[in-house]
Amino acid sequence: MSAITIGKTNFQEEILQSDRTVLLDFWASWCGPCRMVAPLVEEIAEERPDIKVGKINVDEQPELASQFGVMSIPTLVVMKQGRVVNQAAGARPKSQILGML
């Protein structure tokens, strides 16, 4: 399964009500490090059906970015049962992203 585009309209249903662990990638199209992390996030989405992966464009969804206190991008957030359990800013290798889960 590939990553899901998340916005205000589907956040409640896709993220807060998810019965799986969620990995959120806060990104923007102009962000170089975001472009480095994007293929890794997509790989995780494809390889791990037990994880729901969502991508949130901070330019299109500033309210969600603010809600999560995103000050720099990329920011990766791991949620379980609607609560944040891990959060990290900056590009990182796939092994570190998997370690957050």
Side-chain angles (χ1 to χ4, degrees), residues 65-79:
S66 171
Q67 181 180 330
F68 283 87
V70 173
M71 302 302 272
S72 63
I73 51 175
T75 290
L76 299 171
V77 175
V78 178
M79 297 183 71

Side-chain angles (χ1 to χ4, degrees), residues 14-100:
E14 292 288 350
I15 305 307
L16 295 181
Q17 297 175 0
S18 177
D19 56 352
R20 293 183 281 166
T21 298
V22 175
L23 173 63
L24 292 176
D25 175 20
F26 288 85
W27 68 284
S29 58
W30 48 264
C31 165
C34 297
R35 289 195 296 272
M36 290 170 30
V37 169
L40 305 178
V41 169
E42 283 295 338
E43 282 178 29
I44 292 169
E46 294 292 331
E47 295 168 2
R48 295 284 304 268
D50 58 317
I51 304 291
K52 182 177 276 194
V53 178
K55 297 183 67 63
I56 299 176
N57 184 319
V58 297
D59 290 334
E60 296 171 3
Q61 302 296 328
E63 306 89 1
L64 287 176
S66 171
Q67 181 180 330
F68 283 87
V70 173
M71 302 302 272
S72 63
I73 51 175
T75 290
L76 299 171
V77 175
V78 178
M79 297 183 71
K80 292 182 182 181
Q81 299 171 338
R83 291 194 312 271
V84 175
V85 295
N86 210 337
Q87 187 166 336
R92 49 199 68 243
K94 184 176 176 182
S95 61
Q96 282 186 15
I97 297 170
L98 289 170
M100 292 175 62

